[in-house]
Amino acid sequence: MDSHDLLTIGEVVDRSGFPHSALRYYEREGLVSATRTSGGQRRYERGVLRRLAFIRAARAIGIGLDEVRDALGRLPAGRTPTKADWTRLSRSWRGRLDEQIEALVALRDGLDSCIGCGCLSLARCRLWNPGDRIGAQGDGARLLPPALRRPPVG
């Protein structure tokens, strides 16, 4: 590989929007890799920008780093992933995205009346949740769609 095809950590930071610390962390976690110069400076192949964009997109929809690592581990070794590789990789998340979109639309459409908290603070709650019967189902906003009740991914 031509050394002109390699990016410094500063160039990757500028192009990806990730801070230096995130790149070093992702490298330690095996999500991206870098080579070292004789002086110990990191150099990244240009393809790391695609991996970082994928990581950003995955994290934005609540995909945990373990699942991201597994997904990236299914990419071909020794060549830059193609559009088909990325499509195959992200296809498994389509159902999750559809579920989240449906849940967010339901939240948006119901936000001005009740968000399913079972608090009995609104007049409408007496209709949806008389005697706080939903409270027996467990903590949290039980009437929210399941995709919105999941704890945030760390």
Side-chain angles (χ1 to χ4, degrees), residues 15-110:
R15 291 286 309 278
S16 71
F18 281 98
H20 291 82
S21 58
L23 295 179
R24 289 188 295 269
Y25 175 74
Y26 290 154
E27 187 179 345
R28 280 193 310 273
E29 293 295 311
L31 299 171
V32 299
S33 62
T35 58
R36 301 289 179 138
T37 66
S38 59
Q41 296 175 333
R42 288 176 169 82
R43 293 293 185 263
Y44 296 89
E45 291 184 16
R46 209 165 276 285
V48 76
L49 296 172
R50 287 190 185 114
R51 284 179 162 259
L52 291 168
F54 180 79
I55 292 168
R56 184 177 300 282
R59 302 295 288 149
I61 62 170
I63 306 291
L65 284 181
D66 287 340
E67 193 172 347
V68 170
R69 183 182 302 102
D70 291 344
L72 290 173
R74 291 192 301 269
L75 288 174
R79 71 168 170 81
T80 301
T82 64
K83 182 180 185 308
D85 294 323
W86 290 114
T87 299
R88 186 184 72 255
L89 192 65
S90 61
R91 188 175 298 135
S92 64
W93 296 343
R94 189 171 200 72
R96 185 182 311 189
L97 281 171
D98 289 342
E99 180 184 326
Q100 287 180 335
I101 290 167
E102 182 180 314
L104 288 170
V105 167
L107 177 62
R108 179 203 65 202
D109 293 348

